[in-house]
Amino acid sequence: GATRRDIQRHFLVETGVLAGAGLVLGGMLAGCGAMVLPGVALLGGPGTWVFSAAWVLMLAMLVVYASLRRWSRMGPVELLRQV
């Protein structure tokens, strides 16, 4: 079986991949929307966008990590009752 560390690593990697993909797709849609709708401007420079994306990714990882620490202390039956 997998160790707790293996399971946590799996969930954190999966969270990073999904959040990163969402950020890339959201950025692309925002750029396309700004081109299609000339009245809508993308505020800030590239640094603002990179900082915002890094902040969102870090927040997503922190939320998942905190949940994983709580869930890893529970037994399987207790976890299934919460679902």
Side-chain angles (χ1 to χ4, degrees):
T3 63
R4 285 183 184 181
R5 175 168 267 171
D6 292 337
I7 294 170
Q8 286 179 347
R9 184 179 302 126
H10 171 76
F11 275 98
L12 289 173
V13 167
E14 187 175 336
T15 299
V17 169
L18 290 173
L23 287 169
V24 168
L25 288 173
M28 290 171 42
L29 285 174
C32 291
M35 284 191 269
V36 171
L37 303 170
V40 177
L42 296 177
L43 300 176
T48 304
W49 285 87
V50 170
F51 177 76
S52 299
W55 185 253
V56 168
L57 184 61
M58 183 185 69
L59 187 62
M61 298 291 277
L62 182 65
V63 167
V64 169
Y65 180 73
S67 298
L68 281 172
R69 290 198 33 99
R70 185 175 64 110
W71 294 334
S72 67
R73 291 190 291 265
M74 295 179 165
V77 175
E78 192 176 354
L79 279 171
L80 288 175
R81 284 187 187 148
Q82 288 189 356
V83 176

